[in-house]
Amino acid sequence: EGHIFLIADASQIEPLILHWLTRNQTMLDLLRGGMDLYEAHARTQKGYTDPEPLKKKNPGLRSVCKAEYLGLGYRMGKARYRDVAASVGMILSPTEADAAVMRYREANPKVVALWEHFDTLLKSGDKTLQIELPSGRVVNYWDIQFNYEKTEKGYPKGFEARVLMGGPHKRQHGGTFTENVTQGTARETFGYCLLATEDAGLYICLHVHDEELVEVRIEDAEAATPVLERCMTTPPPWMSDLPMATEVVWTTKYEK
């Protein structure tokens, strides 16, 4: 009683981190200017030129951009992309999904180069690989091996590694390495925001994925909002030029 929740998330943090890792300066500059990431994608790769915001003018195209960012950056193939697209209301034929995959890869050569870099590491013959994140934390891949056992399609299963010491082998390729590095960096960035929020004297009662729920007295909500915005948009020192964004929502219950 007498309190309210402020909800803030690290807007589109994963694709943002991927653009930062690959130094896609064109996209980073648009985002730094306050543009929505999916709209920036539409303007740089989909030919969208309308002065109206994409979310308002063409929500269907925005859904297309969102679907692509949910997986194509991690080397997703056409079969899985069809499933992801369906999750945001897009029903694609195998031909349409394949064309979307190829268009993304042609338009994002730096992302493809990152996959290929990690593929080269896997093929180096080393049994253990250590990937250093921007924060300095190291992600380990142990007991790397090539599994010649055939899949249902008749291809070898490919490279596998343990991501936990003594744990099971899991299939690895340039896309999974990219996903792990991107998500690990996103989690550390969000963790930095959580610590900043606590240091600012705000009470975090819940956090889910990339969003935090802060509880304040109703009379303090207006003053707390810009403080929370600052905490959620100030990047960590190891990636100080990351153009982070957030939106603070007031609510009396958790909403998603």
Side-chain angles (χ1 to χ4, degrees):
E1 187 176 352
H3 288 67
I4 196 169
F5 292 130
L6 308 183
I7 301 179
D9 72 348
S11 296
Q12 301 150 353
I13 187 67
E14 279 192 44
L16 172 60
I17 293 291
L18 184 56
H19 283 306
W20 187 88
L21 290 171
T22 55
R23 306 314 300 170
N24 187 338
Q25 204 57 52
T26 300
M27 285 290 290
L28 292 174
D29 287 344
L30 290 173
L31 299 174
R32 195 169 287 114
M35 186 176 293
D36 171 80
L37 186 143
Y38 302 135
E39 179 171 337
H41 179 63
R43 292 188 182 279
T44 57
Q45 298 185 18
K46 300 292 185 183
Y48 183 73
T49 58
D50 197 289
E52 288 287 321
L54 179 67
K55 189 173 185 179
K56 177 181 178 181
K57 186 74 174 183
N58 194 337
L61 178 57
R62 190 175 186 276
S63 293
V64 171
C65 296
K66 182 176 181 179
E68 291 184 358
Y69 269 114
L70 287 174
L72 294 186
Y74 301 146
R75 211 182 201 170
M76 182 178 289
K78 63 181 180 181
R80 287 193 62 204
Y81 178 57
R82 287 184 71 198
D83 294 337
V84 170
S87 72
V88 294
M90 292 170 50
I91 307 303
L92 301 176
S93 69
T95 300
E96 290 172 328
D98 189 44
V101 169
M102 297 310 298
R103 282 196 303 269
Y104 177 89
R105 295 179 182 184
E106 291 171 0
N108 293 276
K110 291 184 177 180
V111 175
V112 174
L114 186 59
W115 302 341
E116 294 174 346
H117 166 70
F118 287 134
D119 278 337
T120 300
L121 292 181
L122 271 173
K123 297 173 183 176
S124 67
D126 292 336
K127 290 296 184 181
T128 299
L129 287 176
Q130 294 185 316
I131 309 298
E132 184 175 341
L133 304 187
S135 65
R137 182 169 68 88
V138 173
V139 178
N140 296 289
Y141 296 86
W142 290 286
D143 194 21
I144 298 172
Q145 63 184 29
F146 191 90
N147 187 343
Y148 288 93
E149 182 182 343
K150 298 294 181 64
T151 66
E152 293 180 355
K153 295 182 178 180
Y155 302 112
K157 288 187 174 180
F159 284 98
E160 297 178 341
R162 303 182 195 274
V163 293
L164 295 174
M165 182 68 78
H169 279 86
K170 295 186 176 182
R171 182 169 180 258
Q172 303 295 337
H173 53 78
T176 58
F177 273 36
T178 300
E179 181 177 14
N180 293 344
V181 169
T182 301
Q183 291 183 343
T185 301
R187 178 61 183 85
E188 290 180 337
T189 302
F190 179 56
Y192 181 85
C193 295
L194 290 175
L195 294 175
T197 303
E198 288 188 343
D199 289 343
L202 298 177
Y203 170 60
I204 303 171
C205 56
L206 175 71
H207 61 85
V208 181
H209 299 301
D210 63 352
E211 66 180 358
E212 57 178 312
L213 192 73
V214 170
E215 182 180 349
V216 299
R217 294 183 301 180
I218 293 176
E219 59 267 30
D220 295 334
E222 188 170 349
T225 295
V227 176
L228 182 56
E229 288 176 341
R230 183 178 68 250
C231 293
M232 289 295 292
T233 56
T234 301
W238 58 83
M239 47 199 319
S240 59
D241 59 338
L242 186 71
M244 298 181 68
T246 193
E247 180 182 2
V248 178
V249 176
W250 296 14
T251 179
T252 56
K253 61 182 181 298
Y254 177 65
E255 298 176 350
K256 182 60 177 179

